[in-house]
Amino acid sequence: WVNLTFLRPFFCLFIFPSTMVALSFMATMITVALFSWFCMRIIGGYTGDTLGGVCELTETAVCVAVVYAKSIL
């Protein structure tokens, strides 16, 4: 299983300052790592629903990271 959602912040390099990109990248990696751990420990693996869930959680985490970065800049 390969999740490429962690590449999304790299596409933002041309739009957002580097602080936002760094926070977005960290938020993505933490969200994917925690949700992957949760899926393996509680559910015992991945399903299509969990992959869709990690996409939604990652998008939310990136949005929160961007809002936070805008508030500290």
Side-chain angles (χ1 to χ4, degrees):
W1 176 78
V2 177
N3 189 348
L4 299 178
T5 57
F6 68 91
L7 292 176
R8 288 181 187 173
F10 292 119
F11 297 117
C12 296
L13 281 172
F14 303 107
I15 300 171
F16 299 115
S18 61
T19 305
M20 286 187 197
V21 174
L23 285 175
S24 297
F25 183 74
M26 288 189 309
T28 300
M29 295 306 290
I30 290 169
T31 302
V32 170
L34 288 175
F35 195 71
S36 297
W37 173 82
F38 173 78
C39 288
M40 292 304 290
R41 180 158 167 91
I42 303 298
I43 302 171
Y46 300 106
T47 65
D49 290 337
T50 59
L51 295 176
V54 77
C55 288
E56 296 298 323
L57 288 173
T58 301
E59 289 175 6
T60 303
V62 169
C63 288
V64 170
V66 167
V67 168
Y68 177 72
K70 279 191 134 336
S71 70
I72 62 171
L73 291 179

